Amino acid sequence: MVQTWIKMRRSWELYLLVLLPVLYLIIFQYIPMFGVIIAFKDFNIIKGILGSPWVGFKHFNELFHSPNFQLLLKNTLLISLYSLLAGFPVPILLALALNEIRMGLFKRSVQMITYAPHFISTVVMVSITILMLSPHVGVVDKLLSSLGWSSTNFMGEPKLFKSIYVWSGVWQEMGYASIIYIAALSSVDPSLYEAARMDGASRFKKIIHIDLPSLLPITITMLILSLGNVMGVGFEKIYLMQNSLNVSTSEVISTYVYKVGLLGANFSFSSAVGLFNSVINLILLVTVNAISRKVSQNSLW
């Protein structure tokens, strides 16, 4: 104990540096967990969390027997899996392509163009998407009309919502998401490329036998994190893109919690929904991590 204290005193600057992030986690992540118990209570603002009566799993039963439950679960899973299947490989492919570019100016230009959409706010991004897809006045609709297609209200078509949501997200995030893969490729030993060149390997074979194995550990880590957040479809973008015409395919758990919990003031029920969502994510994260550790020897822990 004394030796530990001496070591801490010698490195007090490092502990001071990490103090603020630790306080942030405690104040904004761990302390609010106490409020989860309202999912098992009929929460009353006047009585408070501790004074509200216990009801056990009443709100969970209401959720599971709700006519909206299957629709919410289906939309959440479909949108999340669609986003994963469409969006996960794209940053990897972009990183591999950029790694093969030898023209410095062109490479930096492509990086800047692909990174820029990430820094556009969600509100602005959704506004751009809606304007581009608006019937009669949108760029996409005008282009299709010039080719002989009839005018279409893309944002009002339920079957098109998932594709619009997913591919606009892929376009916005692919450049920024590729940074971690580019960093991994930059750490590859140049002698491997030189040896491959001496053996007459083509660029494609270098990618297959050098680049992809180098990306495998970080790719598995990112895949585990992504699968562990399958139920965590973002609220803001979906809510902004949602309207009365596409609500059948755009209503997900996060938007439902907002409508029921904040707008409907049913805090206990919305907490039960949120807790169910978090538990499923945790189970998926632990399961996928265990499978990855057994199969590939790569895991988060």
Side-chain angles (χ1 to χ4, degrees):
M1 184 67 182
V2 176
Q3 292 181 350
T4 302
W5 178 249
I6 293 174
K7 290 180 180 178
M8 291 179 65
R9 288 188 60 184
R10 288 176 180 173
S11 306
W12 67 270
E13 299 94 341
L14 298 177
Y15 287 99
L16 182 63
L17 185 66
V18 81
L19 179 62
L20 287 179
V22 170
L23 287 176
Y24 172 82
L25 288 174
I26 294 173
I27 295 172
F28 294 103
Q29 302 295 331
Y30 286 95
I31 293 178
M33 286 184 182
F34 173 74
V36 169
I37 64 174
I38 69 174
F40 305 94
K41 292 190 169 193
D42 268 334
F43 178 67
N44 186 296
I45 296 179
I46 297 176
K47 294 181 180 180
I49 295 177
L50 297 178
S52 299
W54 283 94
V55 293
F57 291 95
K58 170 188 172 183
H59 302 296
F60 293 93
N61 290 328
E62 290 180 4
L63 170 64
F64 298 145
H65 292 90
S66 170
N68 297 319
F69 177 68
Q70 291 186 355
L71 178 65
L72 294 172
L73 190 60
K74 174 185 174 183
N75 288 341
T76 302
L77 289 175
L78 286 178
I79 291 176
S80 186
L81 292 175
Y82 189 178
S83 300
L84 182 62
L85 291 174
F88 190 79
V90 173
I92 300 175
L93 296 174
L94 179 61
L96 291 172
L98 289 173
N99 190 56
E100 292 298 316
I101 297 176
R102 297 294 176 258
M103 297 173 59
L105 179 60
F106 179 72
K107 183 176 182 178
R108 289 192 296 271
S109 301
V110 172
Q111 287 178 306
M112 182 183 68
I113 293 171
T114 54
Y115 294 171
H118 170 79
F119 300 99
I120 301 175
S121 70
T122 304
V123 176
V124 175
M125 180 57 64
V126 172
S127 299
I128 293 173
T129 303
I130 292 174
L131 288 174
M132 292 185 67
L133 298 177
S134 296
H136 305 298
V137 296
V139 175
V140 176
D141 191 71
K142 284 189 174 182
L143 178 61
L144 293 178
S145 297
S146 66
L147 297 175
W149 290 42
S150 59
S151 181
T152 305
N153 182 9
F154 292 95
M155 297 303 298
E157 290 287 340
K159 61 183 180 181
L160 297 177
F161 177 83
K162 292 183 178 66
S163 294
I164 295 172
Y165 173 84
V166 169
W167 289 107
S168 62
V170 171
W171 172 72
Q172 185 178 12
E173 298 296 337
M174 65 178 182
Y176 191 79
S178 68
I179 292 176
I180 190 169
Y181 301 108
I182 294 174
L185 288 172
S186 65
S187 63
V188 177
D189 189 351
S191 63
L192 294 176
Y193 293 110
E194 293 175 3
R197 191 181 304 110
M198 293 292 293
D199 291 336
S202 63
R203 284 192 174 187
F204 181 73
K205 288 186 176 180
K206 291 177 186 176
I207 292 174
I208 296 297
H209 297 290
I210 299 177
D211 292 340
L212 289 180
S214 301
L215 290 178
L216 186 60
I218 189 63
T219 301
I220 292 176
T221 300
M222 298 301 294
L223 183 60
I224 293 172
L225 293 174
S226 298
L227 289 172
N229 197 37
V230 164
M231 298 290 288
V233 178
F235 159 77
E236 186 179 11
K237 184 178 178 181
I238 285 188
Y239 187 72
L240 291 171
M241 294 178 66
Q242 193 176 87
N243 57 53
S244 57
L245 296 176
N246 62 32
V247 71
S248 61
T249 56
S250 64
E251 188 78 299
V252 294
I253 290 177
S254 58
T255 58
Y256 186 71
V257 168
Y258 170 74
K259 293 175 182 178
V260 173
L262 294 182
L263 300 184
N266 193 347
F267 303 111
S268 293
F269 181 75
S270 63
S271 295
V273 178
L275 182 58
F276 165 77
N277 200 31
S278 300
V279 169
I280 296 300
N281 277 335
L282 177 61
I283 293 173
L284 286 172
L285 178 64
V286 173
T287 303
V288 174
N289 186 76
I291 295 172
S292 175
R293 184 173 61 249
K294 187 175 181 180
V295 173
S296 67
Q297 307 302 318
N298 291 303
S299 60
L300 295 178
W301 66 85

